[in-house]
Amino acid sequence: MFHEFWNYGIVGRAIAQKHISASTLNIRDCALDKHRVTDDRPYGGGCGMVMKPEPLARAIREAKQQAPSSATILLTPQGRPFNQETARSFAREDGFILVCGRYEGIDERIFYDLVDHEVSIGDYILTGGELAAMIVIEAVTRLIPGVLGGEDSAELDSFSGDLLEHAHFTRPPDFEGQQVPKVLLSGNHREIEKWRFETSVVRTFLKRPDLMENRALTRQEVELLKEWCSRIERIVQAQSACGTDSPSGRQQKRRDHCFGGDKPGSA
Ligand code: 4FV
């Protein structure tokens, strides 16, 4: 699985340009018995198989010899959720050893002194840790200085700040009758930045409010939300003023890209 991965895309380019080095160690090559067995039935019974401790321990120790300063990370659903912050912290390290399990799991005794961290890419079950390892490697490699050319910098990514990315548009200016927001064609970079900031805030507010609830908001964000609150307040006042809870208002379901509409706050 890694053979292709090491020769493809951002990771392939980063290896070719020597921004990173990467290698794999097959755990089965560390199984010394005639049939090179790496799994066995679980003590206490039950379905599925468990990864045996001996080949895995030998493999991890072999990897630690090759990379003594690297922490050993096991990909497991029981791990700490992997996110951009984790990726940033890993990118600050010299390197890391990723252990990709298979079967129901690995013998618990491996955790005692051979695994430094457990990381999960999400609350779902994979057949093996390989894909999870690739996700971690890709996310971290993008943050290595020099890997992403000038044209796209990781700094602008979603989660690089604490907001989702603004809406993106490219040619044609008219796609099936849908226009690109005029501000983006204005060349007025201050207005464009303002629009992009506001669309990021509204998208985050609507799609991932948790990203705003669990952190201190910036002064700019607070001001914008207050401005929206007062705008919404005015609308509600106006509604109650004309005492109508107009059905038309309700039906009026505005299919609005709400993230791409002309006025950023037109959510
Ligand atoms: C997983 C995850 C994951 C569990 C048993 C491999 C599988 C099998 N790893 N985030 N979610 N691993 O499902 O990291 O050994």
Side-chain angles (χ1 to χ4, degrees):
M1 290 173 77
F2 283 89
H3 181 64
E4 281 315 308
F5 182 65
W6 297 142
N7 301 295
Y8 186 79
I10 286 282
V11 171
R13 197 170 73 185
I15 291 172
Q17 296 172 352
K18 303 218 172 319
H19 287 295
I20 65 170
S21 64
S23 62
T24 49
L25 224 163
N26 189 330
I27 297 166
R28 197 175 295 285
D29 299 343
C30 301
L32 307 183
D33 61 296
K34 189 152 63 46
H35 303 295
R36 305 198 314 146
V37 174
T38 57
D39 64 319
D40 201 341
R41 286 177 294 103
Y43 275 123
C47 65
M49 300 295 272
V50 175
M51 189 170 270
K52 286 172 64 61
E54 310 95 320
L56 186 48
R58 234 176 260 111
I60 293 174
R61 289 184 178 120
E62 171 59 32
K64 281 181 179 296
Q65 249 152 24
Q66 294 172 25
S69 65
S70 289
T72 302
I73 301 160
L74 172 71
L75 287 307
T76 167
Q78 302 173 17
R80 182 163 51 103
F82 181 73
N83 57 28
Q84 196 68 2
E85 185 40 48
T86 333
R88 280 196 285 265
S89 66
F90 285 179
R92 287 191 287 272
E93 303 294 328
D94 308 349
F96 40 80
I97 297 165
L98 291 173
V99 179
C100 307
R102 279 268 152 180
Y103 320 114
E104 295 311 307
I106 68 176
D107 186 288
E108 188 68 14
R109 291 165 286 187
I110 291 292
F111 291 91
Y112 298 166
D113 58 4
L114 287 170
V115 169
D116 302 307
H117 309 292
E118 296 171 64
V119 166
S120 170
I121 61 163
D123 299 342
Y124 39 78
I125 302 301
L126 305 171
T127 313
E130 292 82 1
L131 293 175
M134 291 176 185
I135 286 169
V136 169
I137 293 165
E138 160 107 8
V140 171
T141 300
R142 299 177 81 261
L143 300 173
I144 306 287
V147 166
L148 286 186
E151 81 276 1
D152 49 2
S153 88
E155 295 331 304
L156 295 174
D157 280 352
S158 280
F159 309 109
S160 54
D162 298 303
L163 292 173
L164 298 182
E165 231 169 296
H166 53 73
H168 293 286
F169 293 85
T170 187
R171 284 177 293 199
D174 177 307
F175 169 65
E176 296 177 354
Q178 298 169 78
Q179 316 302 321
V180 169
K182 290 187 194 40
V183 64
L184 297 180
L185 311 174
S186 68
N188 176 332
H189 292 293
R190 210 180 67 70
E191 278 306 310
I192 290 170
E193 271 328 297
K194 186 167 172 294
W195 179 88
R196 284 181 167 167
F197 169 69
E198 293 190 2
T199 46
S200 281
V201 174
V202 76
R203 282 157 98 85
T204 309
F205 177 70
L206 290 174
K207 292 184 171 187
R208 291 289 310 277
D210 58 298
L211 294 175
M212 299 178 89
E213 280 147 6
N214 313 339
R215 68 171 170 86
L217 297 180
T218 64
R219 188 180 47 67
Q220 247 189 331
E221 289 166 342
V222 170
E223 264 163 32
L224 184 61
L225 292 172
K226 280 188 176 157
E227 187 199 320
W228 285 338
C229 291
S230 51
R231 225 188 272 178
I232 292 164
E233 199 52 44
R234 278 201 300 281
I235 293 167
V236 172
Q237 296 308 336
Q239 284 300 321
S240 42
C242 56
T244 61
D245 174 8
S246 62
S248 63
R250 264 200 309 288
Q251 264 89 32
Q252 148 85 16
K253 185 123 179 36
R254 200 161 62 108
R255 197 172 78 78
D256 172 318
H257 285 297
C258 80
F259 313 126
D262 249 335
K263 293 200 303 323
S266 62

